[in-house]
Amino acid sequence: GVMEKLGLGPEILLQENPRLIYARLTGFGQTGKLAKSAGHDINYLALSGVLSKLGRKDENPYAPVNLLADFAGGGVMCAMGIVIALYERTRSGKGQVIDASMVKGAAYLSSFLWKSQNLGLWNRPRGENLLDSGAPFYETYKTSDGKFMAVGAIEPQFYEQLIKGLGLDSGKLPSQLSFTDWPEMKKKFASIFAQKTQAEWCSIFDGTDACVTPVLSFDDVASYQHNKERSSFIKNDQEELSPRPAPLLSRTPAVPSFKRDPFTGEHTEEILLEYGFTKQEIAELNSDNVVEIGKTKANL
């Protein structure tokens, strides 16, 4: 209701321009009991059902920072809605309103969890299933130098290469899918991974299909050979590192900016001047806290 209070709700603006695409991105959505309630990523994730699936055995559910509801279920889903509406407009000539709720977006992202319930992938308690840290072959393991390796050897042929790289004999081990043996196998794998450095394990599994990769830190990710070859990370003119825009389009790839991020309010004055405001008017807007003008670096 914030935009309605300003007289800028979709009903008014769509009357002015019927081709307008109006995206409304919220946590709980435009309607319902919680529509006007405060919340954050963890709350939206909780109501979507996804949070109940995240976490290790005998531990509380945990939210993976604020990526799933805020950015994936919210931002990406909203952007996809805008793209869909733009495409539809080429046929109808009409705009529409997009209700992008982070709760519904996160829930829809988890469709795989819902649709695969009868496949035996999620029929055990949290932290005891194939992809939620229950399986010894889908887990992270600490190395002797305090770093980690990620293991995702689900398919039998990949699992066999994992076992070989660990120096084990599959003939002397329980079946890969023997759930009751998973806790012991995790301990065995952990003790073996702890005997070598991350670099040593990378060398052992390099060129194999064991689905074993290093867990890279932000400091290491740009120098990793594969990422370097793909130019997956870029530096701006302040030597600050960030991911290159994705996905990569063949004909019209995104052209990233190599300039530093603007400070909050850095360009307020020049933009308002471009739109015809006088310096006196801009000063009054600033003193009335209508706009922000400053050189303080953003905390985002």
Side-chain angles (χ1 to χ4, degrees):
V2 175
M3 296 301 284
E4 281 78 2
K5 290 177 184 177
L6 297 173
L8 297 172
E11 293 81 6
I12 294 172
L13 296 186
L14 282 166
Q15 282 183 7
E16 183 76 19
N17 179 8
R19 289 175 55 83
L20 183 69
I21 292 164
Y22 194 110
R24 312 199 82 163
L25 176 56
T26 60
F28 296 115
Q30 294 297 312
T31 58
K33 178 182 177 181
L34 299 177
K36 295 185 178 180
S37 299
H40 277 294
D41 179 284
I42 195 170
N43 307 116
Y44 313 138
L45 207 56
L47 290 192
S48 74
V50 178
L51 187 56
S52 71
K53 297 292 186 181
L54 305 178
R56 294 183 177 276
K57 180 181 179 181
D58 299 326
E59 292 185 9
N60 295 352
Y62 73 90
V65 289
N66 66 325
L67 291 175
L68 278 184
D70 280 354
F71 296 110
V76 174
M77 285 293 189
C78 185
M80 187 170 72
I82 292 170
V83 171
I84 292 169
L86 284 167
Y87 179 73
E88 193 280 335
R89 191 174 69 180
T90 64
R91 304 176 63 182
S92 68
K94 298 178 181 179
Q96 53 188 312
V97 180
I98 298 161
D99 179 357
S101 152
M102 294 179 190
V103 173
K104 292 179 75 172
Y108 186 57
L109 272 176
S110 72
S111 294
F112 166 69
L113 305 183
W114 292 89
K115 300 295 184 180
S116 62
Q117 288 183 97
N118 296 327
L119 300 179
L121 295 176
W122 308 102
N123 56 354
R124 301 173 66 83
R126 183 178 63 250
E128 296 183 23
N129 299 280
L130 185 67
L131 302 177
D132 65 358
S133 80
F137 49 84
Y138 203 88
E139 177 63 287
T140 58
Y141 292 99
K142 196 171 186 177
T143 57
S144 63
D145 55 347
K147 298 182 180 180
F148 295 89
M149 298 297 289
V151 176
I154 298 175
E155 292 79 1
Q157 66 272 28
F158 302 154
Y159 181 72
E160 186 61 35
Q161 293 192 48
L162 167 66
I163 295 302
K164 183 179 178 181
L166 293 175
L168 297 171
D169 182 352
S170 59
K172 298 179 180 179
L173 297 174
S175 167
Q176 179 185 357
L177 296 180
S178 176
F179 299 109
T180 55
D181 290 302
W182 279 2
E184 263 322 297
M185 290 297 291
K186 286 180 72 170
K187 291 179 183 178
K188 182 184 289 288
F189 287 5
S191 67
I192 296 173
F193 272 106
Q195 295 170 18
K196 290 182 171 63
T197 66
Q198 185 188 71
E200 288 174 320
W201 285 119
C202 286
S203 178
I204 288 170
F205 287 107
D206 185 36
T208 74
D209 277 335
C211 301
V212 179
T213 52
V215 177
L216 299 174
S217 69
F218 273 25
D219 292 331
D220 299 331
V221 69
S223 59
Y224 186 67
Q225 183 180 352
H226 178 78
N227 291 337
K228 282 179 66 176
E229 292 170 353
R230 294 275 298 166
S231 300
S232 299
F233 296 86
I234 56 176
K235 286 185 178 180
N236 65 13
D237 55 11
Q238 303 290 305
E239 293 295 302
E240 295 171 329
L241 197 67
S242 63
R244 183 178 290 274
L248 182 64
L249 304 185
S250 64
R251 188 170 51 80
T252 58
V255 180
S257 170
F258 293 98
K259 295 181 180 180
R260 64 162 173 79
D261 294 340
F263 301 148
T264 302
E266 183 175 359
H267 303 119
T268 302
E269 186 173 359
E270 61 189 83
I271 290 171
L272 291 176
L273 285 170
E274 284 181 20
Y275 275 87
F277 287 83
T278 66
K279 287 201 171 187
Q280 182 180 347
E281 289 172 329
I282 295 171
E284 290 175 0
L285 290 171
N286 186 38
S287 64
D288 292 340
N289 294 318
V290 176
V291 298
E292 184 174 350
I293 299 174
K295 301 293 183 182
T296 305
K297 190 170 184 179
N299 293 321
L300 297 178

